Amino acid sequence: MVENLASVRHTRILIAEDNELNQKVILAMLKHLGYRADTALNGIEVLVALKHNWYDLILMNVGLPEMDGLEATRQIRKLFQNGPKIIAVTAYALPGMKQKCLEAGMDDFILKPIRIDEFGAILRNYQRSHFRT
């Protein structure tokens, strides 16, 4: 289910995460950093959400059920010429995983557990140089 929240910094963020605890942690970090987000539980929900809303950024778990984050990213890149920025958020620190995510069309990569300082730096970077205002 997609949860609708207003954006504090006018940056539309979608969290694609199937683990409820991880969703809550990411939402809390975003709130602390001055952002809000919508949530999706799988890649199919991400695609549905994109049909109804514009998002500047998607925080995409790689290991989503039904449609994983890699396939969801490939679909987004096919459907939207100037689509949202997509950051892989994953616990999979396997060799080659970052490259696999980038090849699927993701723009950046962050490992779980997420450190709030690293997360904030990535968000500020994309806020300055990539997001619509």
Side-chain angles (χ1 to χ4, degrees):
M1 172 190 294
V2 176
E3 180 182 341
N4 291 314
L5 300 170
S7 173
V8 173
R9 292 197 177 183
H10 306 291
T11 300
R12 300 276 310 172
I13 299 173
L14 180 63
I15 301 167
E17 173 61 62
D18 61 313
N19 181 292
E20 191 174 322
L21 179 59
N22 288 342
Q23 275 187 6
K24 288 179 182 182
V25 168
I26 294 169
L27 283 167
M29 279 193 228
L30 287 171
K31 182 177 180 181
H32 179 77
L33 294 167
Y35 298 91
R36 293 193 183 172
D38 296 342
T39 59
L41 295 171
N42 59 57
I44 294 168
E45 286 189 10
V46 170
L47 296 176
V48 170
L50 286 169
K51 288 182 181 180
H52 300 287
N53 297 296
W54 168 259
Y55 291 96
D56 300 293
L57 175 68
I58 300 174
L59 302 171
M60 183 79 76
N61 182 352
V62 175
L64 294 172
E66 297 184 47
M67 178 187 291
D68 70 24
L70 297 172
E71 182 58 29
T73 299
R74 288 184 199 101
Q75 293 296 318
I76 291 165
R77 296 303 182 224
K78 285 180 189 175
L79 294 170
F80 303 97
Q81 184 176 9
N82 293 315
K85 298 299 174 187
I86 302 173
I87 298 176
V89 181
T90 183
Y92 301 125
L94 302 172
M97 181 53 76
K98 181 175 183 176
Q99 187 61 33
K100 203 176 209 181
C101 291
L102 296 175
E103 287 172 359
M106 295 181 180
D107 299 289
D108 213 332
F109 181 89
I110 190 167
L111 283 172
K112 295 177 189 175
I114 301 169
R115 291 187 3 244
I116 195 162
D117 58 332
E118 180 184 10
F119 197 38
I122 286 174
L123 291 170
R124 283 188 300 278
N125 178 52
Y126 279 98
Q127 180 77 37
R128 276 193 310 273
S129 58
H130 299 290
F131 295 159
R132 301 182 317 152
T133 54

